[in-house]
Amino acid sequence: MTVNQAGRPSKANERIPEILEATFAVVVREGLAGVTFSKVAEAAGLQRTLVLHYFGSRDELIGAFIDHVVGAMGTAIVHHHDDLPLPQRVAAAYAPGAYRTRDDMVVWAELVALSARDQAVRERLHKLWTGRWLPDLEAVLADRHPAVSAEDVSATAYALACLFEAHWALDIQGVVDERRQQHIERAADIILGSLEVR
């Protein structure tokens, strides 16, 4: 347990997750542009100065939000349905329920849009993709297809990730219907099937 300067036990382990979840709520309601210490504090039921105590700047708060909340969200998607056979697991990534909630999709869309204009956000998302999510997906595929070359596994993981991103971007725009849902599941199956013919 961390002790603060006054000798009291630190509440950082409790407060920081509360603040980051409140940040999530503000992003869902008002977008990333709406994230202020005051709005996050209000959503968390805390004083603004307490949010400032844990996060010295808005950039630090947004960075921690991306690293922890969004990072965990992506990891949960990659490891969702670990118990299923690989084809069903991949199909589940394109089916309703892949994202925990529609709010998760809204937050992700906000971050993707901001990454086009904000170098720091782009770098954090790049780090999550290249240092965490793609390697995790590659490990899952390599485990199920040990005879396939690392390059083919990497290419397949990247193709599935690109398909995932495009599918959910179109879904949030209302483009996905039952027929297109069948198309995306078939396309994912074709990509995954490419590992079988190697």
Side-chain angles (χ1 to χ4, degrees):
M1 178 179 293
T2 306
V3 177
N4 66 21
Q5 292 176 353
R8 293 175 293 167
S10 172
K11 292 194 170 198
N13 291 339
E14 176 185 332
R15 294 286 188 238
I16 290 173
E18 289 174 358
I19 293 167
L20 294 176
E21 282 302 315
T23 303
F24 180 90
V26 173
V27 172
V28 168
R29 189 176 60 243
E30 301 187 33
L32 281 159
V35 174
T36 65
F37 283 139
S38 296
K39 290 176 184 176
V40 170
E42 182 181 335
L46 301 171
Q47 294 295 319
R48 180 187 176 280
T49 54
L50 195 55
V51 176
L52 185 59
H53 169 75
Y54 290 109
F55 300 97
S57 70
R58 182 180 182 279
D59 288 343
E60 189 178 330
L61 174 61
I62 296 295
F65 172 72
I66 293 169
D67 292 345
H68 298 286
V69 176
V70 176
M73 182 173 63
T75 298
I77 291 170
V78 171
H79 293 286
H80 194 55
H81 297 299
D82 275 344
D83 57 324
L84 293 177
L86 189 57
Q88 288 86 352
R89 187 174 168 190
V90 168
Y94 302 94
Y99 278 93
R100 188 181 53 165
T101 66
R102 188 141 184 97
D103 288 348
D104 287 357
M105 292 173 61
V106 170
V107 167
W108 181 249
E110 281 281 329
L111 284 169
V112 170
L114 183 59
S115 72
R117 299 180 305 279
D118 186 313
Q119 179 70 26
V121 171
R122 184 169 44 255
E123 287 172 2
R124 286 184 183 277
L125 294 181
H126 178 270
K127 183 178 176 184
L128 285 171
W129 274 112
T130 61
R132 193 163 160 184
W133 300 331
L134 284 170
D136 281 3
L137 184 52
E138 290 167 2
V140 168
L141 296 174
D143 183 57
R144 301 290 177 17
H145 297 280
V148 175
S149 75
E151 188 60 27
D152 286 347
V153 166
S154 182
T156 302
Y158 185 68
L160 289 169
C162 289
L163 190 64
F164 179 87
E165 283 294 289
H167 169 66
W168 291 110
L170 290 169
D171 182 77
I172 207 165
Q173 297 171 66
V175 174
V176 177
D177 57 18
E178 186 176 329
R179 183 171 153 262
R180 289 189 176 101
Q181 183 64 43
Q182 291 170 351
H183 289 168
I184 198 72
E185 291 172 10
R186 178 71 182 125
D189 190 49
I190 290 168
I191 293 169
L192 185 61
S194 72
L195 292 176
E196 301 292 340
V197 298
R198 303 252 178 239

PDB file of all heavy atoms in Angstrom, residues 139-156:
ATOM      1  N   ALA A 139       0.076 -14.643 -31.769  1.00  0.00           N
ATOM      2  CA  ALA A 139       0.359 -15.765 -30.866  1.00  0.00           C
ATOM      3  C   ALA A 139      -0.783 -16.782 -30.875  1.00  0.00           C
ATOM      4  O   ALA A 139      -0.543 -17.995 -30.877  1.00  0.00           O
ATOM      5  CB  ALA A 139       0.615 -15.257 -29.451  1.00  0.00           C
ATOM      6  N   VAL A 140      -2.006 -16.294 -30.898  1.00  0.00           N
ATOM      7  CA  VAL A 140      -3.165 -17.190 -30.955  1.00  0.00           C
ATOM      8  C   VAL A 140      -3.130 -18.003 -32.251  1.00  0.00           C
ATOM      9  O   VAL A 140      -3.299 -19.228 -32.237  1.00  0.00           O
ATOM     10  CB  VAL A 140      -4.486 -16.392 -30.855  1.00  0.00           C
ATOM     11  CG1 VAL A 140      -5.684 -17.262 -31.211  1.00  0.00           C
ATOM     12  CG2 VAL A 140      -4.642 -15.783 -29.474  1.00  0.00           C
ATOM     13  N   LEU A 141      -2.895 -17.319 -33.374  1.00  0.00           N
ATOM     14  CA  LEU A 141      -2.863 -18.007 -34.666  1.00  0.00           C
ATOM     15  C   LEU A 141      -1.683 -18.981 -34.748  1.00  0.00           C
ATOM     16  O   LEU A 141      -1.833 -20.111 -35.239  1.00  0.00           O
ATOM     17  CB  LEU A 141      -2.788 -16.998 -35.813  1.00  0.00           C
ATOM     18  CG  LEU A 141      -3.999 -16.072 -35.968  1.00  0.00           C
ATOM     19  CD1 LEU A 141      -3.728 -15.028 -37.059  1.00  0.00           C
ATOM     20  CD2 LEU A 141      -5.259 -16.858 -36.270  1.00  0.00           C
ATOM     21  N   ALA A 142      -0.517 -18.572 -34.275  1.00  0.00           N
ATOM     22  CA  ALA A 142       0.671 -19.430 -34.324  1.00  0.00           C
ATOM     23  C   ALA A 142       0.487 -20.665 -33.448  1.00  0.00           C
ATOM     24  O   ALA A 142       0.927 -21.764 -33.813  1.00  0.00           O
ATOM     25  CB  ALA A 142       1.902 -18.649 -33.888  1.00  0.00           C
ATOM     26  N   ASP A 143      -0.189 -20.481 -32.318  1.00  0.00           N
ATOM     27  CA  ASP A 143      -0.445 -21.621 -31.432  1.00  0.00           C
ATOM     28  C   ASP A 143      -1.319 -22.666 -32.109  1.00  0.00           C
ATOM     29  O   ASP A 143      -1.118 -23.860 -31.941  1.00  0.00           O
ATOM     30  CB  ASP A 143      -1.109 -21.113 -30.148  1.00  0.00           C
ATOM     31  CG  ASP A 143      -1.347 -22.228 -29.148  1.00  0.00           C
ATOM     32  OD1 ASP A 143      -0.359 -22.906 -28.773  1.00  0.00           O
ATOM     33  OD2 ASP A 143      -2.513 -22.424 -28.732  1.00  0.00           O
ATOM     34  N   ARG A 144      -2.292 -22.214 -32.885  1.00  0.00           N
ATOM     35  CA  ARG A 144      -3.210 -23.131 -33.564  1.00  0.00           C
ATOM     36  C   ARG A 144      -2.649 -23.650 -34.885  1.00  0.00           C
ATOM     37  O   ARG A 144      -3.113 -24.646 -35.404  1.00  0.00           O
ATOM     38  CB  ARG A 144      -4.547 -22.435 -33.807  1.00  0.00           C
ATOM     39  CG  ARG A 144      -5.253 -21.947 -32.565  1.00  0.00           C
ATOM     40  CD  ARG A 144      -5.794 -23.035 -31.707  1.00  0.00           C
ATOM     41  NE  ARG A 144      -6.436 -22.787 -30.463  1.00  0.00           N
ATOM     42  CZ  ARG A 144      -6.948 -21.720 -29.929  1.00  0.00           C
ATOM     43  NH1 ARG A 144      -6.924 -20.600 -30.556  1.00  0.00           N
ATOM     44  NH2 ARG A 144      -7.521 -21.726 -28.749  1.00  0.00           N
ATOM     45  N   HIS A 145      -1.645 -22.946 -35.426  1.00  0.00           N
ATOM     46  CA  HIS A 145      -1.047 -23.321 -36.721  1.00  0.00           C
ATOM     47  C   HIS A 145       0.478 -23.282 -36.608  1.00  0.00           C
ATOM     48  O   HIS A 145       1.140 -22.451 -37.243  1.00  0.00           O
ATOM     49  CB  HIS A 145      -1.521 -22.364 -37.815  1.00  0.00           C
ATOM     50  CG  HIS A 145      -2.989 -22.416 -38.058  1.00  0.00           C
ATOM     51  ND1 HIS A 145      -3.584 -23.393 -38.812  1.00  0.00           N
ATOM     52  CD2 HIS A 145      -3.999 -21.624 -37.601  1.00  0.00           C
ATOM     53  CE1 HIS A 145      -4.897 -23.204 -38.835  1.00  0.00           C
ATOM     54  NE2 HIS A 145      -5.170 -22.136 -38.108  1.00  0.00           N
ATOM     55  N   PRO A 146       1.056 -24.194 -35.817  1.00  0.00           N
ATOM     56  CA  PRO A 146       2.500 -24.134 -35.566  1.00  0.00           C
ATOM     57  C   PRO A 146       3.366 -24.387 -36.796  1.00  0.00           C
ATOM     58  O   PRO A 146       4.527 -23.955 -36.823  1.00  0.00           O
ATOM     59  CB  PRO A 146       2.721 -25.215 -34.504  1.00  0.00           C
ATOM     60  CG  PRO A 146       1.549 -26.124 -34.597  1.00  0.00           C
ATOM     61  CD  PRO A 146       0.415 -25.284 -35.092  1.00  0.00           C
ATOM     62  N   ALA A 147       2.849 -25.038 -37.825  1.00  0.00           N
ATOM     63  CA  ALA A 147       3.648 -25.329 -39.016  1.00  0.00           C
ATOM     64  C   ALA A 147       3.692 -24.161 -40.004  1.00  0.00           C
ATOM     65  O   ALA A 147       4.461 -24.182 -40.961  1.00  0.00           O
ATOM     66  CB  ALA A 147       3.101 -26.576 -39.712  1.00  0.00           C
ATOM     67  N   VAL A 148       2.897 -23.145 -39.767  1.00  0.00           N
ATOM     68  CA  VAL A 148       2.813 -22.001 -40.682  1.00  0.00           C
ATOM     69  C   VAL A 148       3.927 -21.007 -40.335  1.00  0.00           C
ATOM     70  O   VAL A 148       4.234 -20.783 -39.161  1.00  0.00           O
ATOM     71  CB  VAL A 148       1.420 -21.340 -40.586  1.00  0.00           C
ATOM     72  CG1 VAL A 148       1.341 -20.090 -41.428  1.00  0.00           C
ATOM     73  CG2 VAL A 148       0.340 -22.336 -40.986  1.00  0.00           C
ATOM     74  N   SER A 149       4.514 -20.408 -41.366  1.00  0.00           N
ATOM     75  CA  SER A 149       5.605 -19.459 -41.143  1.00  0.00           C
ATOM     76  C   SER A 149       5.126 -18.245 -40.335  1.00  0.00           C
ATOM     77  O   SER A 149       3.954 -17.858 -40.408  1.00  0.00           O
ATOM     78  CB  SER A 149       6.187 -18.987 -42.471  1.00  0.00           C
ATOM     79  OG  SER A 149       5.310 -18.063 -43.096  1.00  0.00           O
ATOM     80  N   ALA A 150       6.044 -17.644 -39.603  1.00  0.00           N
ATOM     81  CA  ALA A 150       5.723 -16.458 -38.808  1.00  0.00           C
ATOM     82  C   ALA A 150       5.217 -15.328 -39.693  1.00  0.00           C
ATOM     83  O   ALA A 150       4.312 -14.580 -39.303  1.00  0.00           O
ATOM     84  CB  ALA A 150       6.952 -16.012 -38.018  1.00  0.00           C
ATOM     85  N   GLU A 151       5.790 -15.200 -40.887  1.00  0.00           N
ATOM     86  CA  GLU A 151       5.355 -14.135 -41.802  1.00  0.00           C
ATOM     87  C   GLU A 151       3.911 -14.343 -42.261  1.00  0.00           C
ATOM     88  O   GLU A 151       3.128 -13.389 -42.328  1.00  0.00           O
ATOM     89  CB  GLU A 151       6.305 -14.060 -43.006  1.00  0.00           C
ATOM     90  CG  GLU A 151       6.056 -12.886 -43.907  1.00  0.00           C
ATOM     91  CD  GLU A 151       6.207 -11.524 -43.224  1.00  0.00           C
ATOM     92  OE1 GLU A 151       6.963 -11.402 -42.240  1.00  0.00           O
ATOM     93  OE2 GLU A 151       5.546 -10.569 -43.678  1.00  0.00           O
ATOM     94  N   ASP A 152       3.531 -15.595 -42.557  1.00  0.00           N
ATOM     95  CA  ASP A 152       2.150 -15.873 -42.964  1.00  0.00           C
ATOM     96  C   ASP A 152       1.173 -15.667 -41.804  1.00  0.00           C
ATOM     97  O   ASP A 152       0.069 -15.162 -41.993  1.00  0.00           O
ATOM     98  CB  ASP A 152       2.030 -17.291 -43.521  1.00  0.00           C
ATOM     99  CG  ASP A 152       2.626 -17.429 -44.916  1.00  0.00           C
ATOM    100  OD1 ASP A 152       2.916 -16.395 -45.561  1.00  0.00           O
ATOM    101  OD2 ASP A 152       2.814 -18.577 -45.364  1.00  0.00           O
ATOM    102  N   VAL A 153       1.597 -16.043 -40.606  1.00  0.00           N
ATOM    103  CA  VAL A 153       0.764 -15.807 -39.420  1.00  0.00           C
ATOM    104  C   VAL A 153       0.574 -14.303 -39.219  1.00  0.00           C
ATOM    105  O   VAL A 153      -0.534 -13.824 -38.981  1.00  0.00           O
ATOM    106  CB  VAL A 153       1.392 -16.467 -38.169  1.00  0.00           C
ATOM    107  CG1 VAL A 153       0.747 -15.944 -36.892  1.00  0.00           C
ATOM    108  CG2 VAL A 153       1.255 -17.972 -38.246  1.00  0.00           C
ATOM    109  N   SER A 154       1.663 -13.548 -39.337  1.00  0.00           N
ATOM    110  CA  SER A 154       1.601 -12.101 -39.162  1.00  0.00           C
ATOM    111  C   SER A 154       0.690 -11.457 -40.209  1.00  0.00           C
ATOM    112  O   SER A 154      -0.118 -10.583 -39.886  1.00  0.00           O
ATOM    113  CB  SER A 154       3.005 -11.516 -39.244  1.00  0.00           C
ATOM    114  OG  SER A 154       2.974 -10.127 -39.041  1.00  0.00           O
ATOM    115  N   ALA A 155       0.815 -11.895 -41.460  1.00  0.00           N
ATOM    116  CA  ALA A 155      -0.027 -11.352 -42.533  1.00  0.00           C
ATOM    117  C   ALA A 155      -1.501 -11.660 -42.285  1.00  0.00           C
ATOM    118  O   ALA A 155      -2.371 -10.807 -42.495  1.00  0.00           O
ATOM    119  CB  ALA A 155       0.415 -11.912 -43.880  1.00  0.00           C
ATOM    120  N   THR A 156      -1.782 -12.864 -41.818  1.00  0.00           N
ATOM    121  CA  THR A 156      -3.171 -13.256 -41.538  1.00  0.00           C
ATOM    122  C   THR A 156      -3.738 -12.446 -40.372  1.00  0.00           C
ATOM    123  O   THR A 156      -4.869 -11.962 -40.434  1.00  0.00           O
ATOM    124  CB  THR A 156      -3.246 -14.765 -41.241  1.00  0.00           C
ATOM    125  OG1 THR A 156      -2.729 -15.480 -42.376  1.00  0.00           O
ATOM    126  CG2 THR A 156      -4.672 -15.205 -40.963  1.00  0.00           C
TER     127      THR A 156
END
